[in-house]
């Protein structure tokens, strides 16, 4: 039997050996499956060796990734801008608004250009959707640049309420997209492994949007809360886009009626959540605006 030290050495071989084993196993697996040798006795040796190699790589990652993360995190904190980005939520929101605005504008240009080139309304609908997001984020960026966050609550409430009204119009673009998916067979399509990457990214931004929506709401800043509501709306529409892509990739055995029903239910659910967030923001901001105005009038 292997003692503890020998087992540790076996599961943690030198890096050069792991690289060599990974290269050999990859080449062997390609030959095995390419030439239909998957049932050959030697193939089972390759499977075992590949499993061992994968295990050593996973263990090496488990051991090194936390250290690399701590090192990278410390380097970020050592830089003044990085330290502020990690500790100042207002500054982080400001930076994220700029990034999101630039991405939205890029999507507007790309989809509008695609609509002109391919002569299809589908891309113009997508351009309209991203334009609405860009308008709201531009209004928030402009307010933060001119006034800042936490300095003028009355102004934040009014700007947040305005974005709430604009957010309601997002359902127009969403409804148009759903109708085109249902009746014109439009939608999204990602080939090969790209669909798995898009799925992981979509679930990541949705989870992050939910966490930030709760986290930033506790800070009491209407502008920061609205920024996260916009991110949440964008993430939900991305989920709808992913659903259509999944149907295109894996829904060959699914009946058209079932597919349409799923798209209708998802589209209605996304629309209901967006409307609820918009109305809640409008009502909440309006009530507080009136309270502030009444208090000011009473003081006069």
């Amino acid at each position: 039997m292997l003692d503890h030290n020998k087992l540790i050495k076996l599961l943690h071989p030198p890096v050069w050996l792991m690289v060599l084993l990974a290269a050999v196993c990859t080449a062997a697996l390609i030959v095995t499956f390419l030439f239909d040798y998957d049932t050959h006795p030697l193939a089972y040796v390759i499977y075992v060796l590949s499993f061992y190699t994968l295990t050593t790589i996973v263990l090496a990652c488990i051991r090194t990734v936390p250290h690399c993360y701590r090192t990278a995190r410390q380097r970020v904190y050592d830089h003044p801008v990085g330290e502020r980005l990690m500790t100042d939520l207002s500054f982080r929101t400001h930076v994220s608004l700029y990034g999101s605005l630039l991405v939205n504008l890029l999507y507007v240009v790309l989809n509008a250009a695609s609509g002109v080139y391919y002569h299809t309304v589908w891309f113009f609908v997508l351009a309209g959707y991203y334009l609405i997001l860009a308008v709201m984020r531009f209004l928030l960026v402009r307010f933060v640049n001119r006034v800042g966050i936490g300095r003028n609550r009355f102004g934040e409430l009014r700007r947040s309420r305005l974005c709430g009204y604009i957010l309601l119009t997002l359902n127009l673009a969403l409804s148009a997209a759903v109708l085109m998916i249902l009746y014109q067979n439009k939608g999204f399509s990602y080939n090969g492994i790209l669909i798995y990457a898009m799925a992981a990214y979509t679930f990541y931004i949705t989870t992050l949007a939910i966490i930030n929506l709760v986290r930033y709401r506790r800070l009491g800043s209407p502008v920061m809360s609205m920024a996260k509501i916009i991110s949440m709306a964008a993430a939900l529409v991305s989920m709808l886009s992913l659903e259509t892509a999944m149907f295109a990739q894996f829904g060959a055995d699914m009946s058209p009626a079932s597919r349409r029903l799923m798209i209708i239910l998802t589209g209605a659910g996304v629309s209901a959540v967006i409307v609820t967030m918009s109305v809640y923001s409008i009502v909440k901001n309006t009530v507080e605006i009136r309270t502030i105005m009444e208090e000011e009038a009473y003081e006069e």
Side-chain angles (χ1 to χ4, degrees):
M1 293 181 63
L2 291 174
D3 59 22
H4 182 265
N5 292 330
K6 291 182 178 179
L7 181 61
I8 293 297
K9 290 182 179 179
L10 182 64
L11 294 177
H12 298 281
V15 175
W16 67 266
L17 181 58
M18 285 193 293
V19 173
L20 178 62
L21 287 174
V24 171
C25 290
T26 301
L29 288 172
I30 291 174
V31 172
T32 299
F33 293 115
L34 189 61
F35 295 99
D36 295 327
Y37 291 148
D38 49 302
T39 58
H40 193 278
L42 186 60
Y44 295 98
V45 177
I46 296 173
Y47 298 153
V48 173
L49 185 61
S50 300
F51 177 77
Y52 165 73
T53 304
L54 179 61
T55 302
T56 59
I57 292 174
V58 170
L59 291 175
C61 290
I62 293 175
R63 183 175 57 181
T64 59
V65 166
H67 173 71
C68 294
Y69 171 77
R70 287 192 296 269
T71 302
R73 183 181 175 88
Q74 187 59 46
R75 289 181 179 178
V76 171
Y77 273 102
D78 290 340
H79 194 279
V81 177
E83 193 272 338
R84 187 181 179 190
L85 188 64
M86 297 296 290
T87 58
D88 190 341
L89 292 179
S90 299
F91 179 70
R92 189 188 308 173
T93 301
H94 197 173
V95 173
S96 66
L97 279 172
Y98 267 111
S100 302
L101 176 60
L102 291 176
V103 171
N104 288 158
L105 291 175
L106 177 62
Y107 279 137
V108 170
V109 173
L110 289 176
N111 282 288
S114 298
V116 173
Y117 182 80
Y118 292 107
H119 303 287
T120 175
V121 180
W122 171 250
F123 288 108
F124 287 114
V125 171
L126 295 181
Y129 159 71
Y130 287 112
L131 180 61
I132 294 171
L133 293 178
V135 167
M136 289 186 291
R137 282 169 169 150
F138 171 76
L139 291 174
L140 294 181
V141 166
R142 189 166 180 266
F143 179 85
V144 172
N145 286 339
R146 295 177 61 183
V147 181
I149 297 177
R151 299 175 183 175
N152 185 348
R153 183 165 185 83
F154 186 77
E156 284 196 40
L157 291 167
R158 294 185 60 186
R159 187 54 54 96
S160 179
R161 183 176 63 176
L162 175 60
C163 290
Y165 283 120
I166 298 174
L167 186 60
L168 284 174
T169 65
L170 192 66
N171 284 282
L172 298 176
L174 175 61
S175 300
V178 171
L179 289 174
M180 294 185 72
I181 292 170
L182 291 174
Y183 298 107
Q184 296 186 12
N185 200 28
K186 299 294 184 180
F188 298 85
S189 178
Y190 306 108
N191 296 324
I193 198 172
L194 183 60
I195 191 170
Y196 299 103
M198 292 305 299
Y201 173 74
T202 301
F203 283 111
Y204 166 74
I205 63 173
T206 303
T207 303
L208 187 63
I210 295 172
I211 294 173
N212 285 336
L213 188 62
V214 176
R215 182 183 183 186
Y216 282 78
R217 183 175 176 271
R218 294 174 180 173
L219 299 177
S221 169
V223 165
M224 295 174 69
S225 296
M226 178 51 65
K228 301 313 169 185
I229 288 175
I230 295 171
S231 297
M232 184 65 193
L236 290 174
V237 176
S238 295
M239 291 293 289
L240 176 62
S241 304
L242 177 64
E243 182 184 58
T244 62
M246 296 290 283
F247 285 153
Q249 186 78 8
F250 306 110
D253 297 331
M254 193 174 185
S255 67
S258 298
R259 187 181 305 182
R260 281 196 297 270
L261 178 61
M262 289 295 296
I263 293 173
I264 290 172
L265 291 176
T266 304
V270 171
S271 179
V273 173
I274 292 176
V275 170
T276 300
M277 291 191 299
S278 303
V279 172
Y280 174 80
S281 176
I282 293 170
V283 172
K284 183 176 182 297
N285 291 328
T286 299
V287 170
E288 190 167 349
I289 287 172
R290 289 176 179 174
T291 301
I292 294 176
M293 293 177 65
E294 290 173 359
E295 290 177 352
E296 291 178 351
Y298 178 77
E299 291 176 357
E300 293 178 357

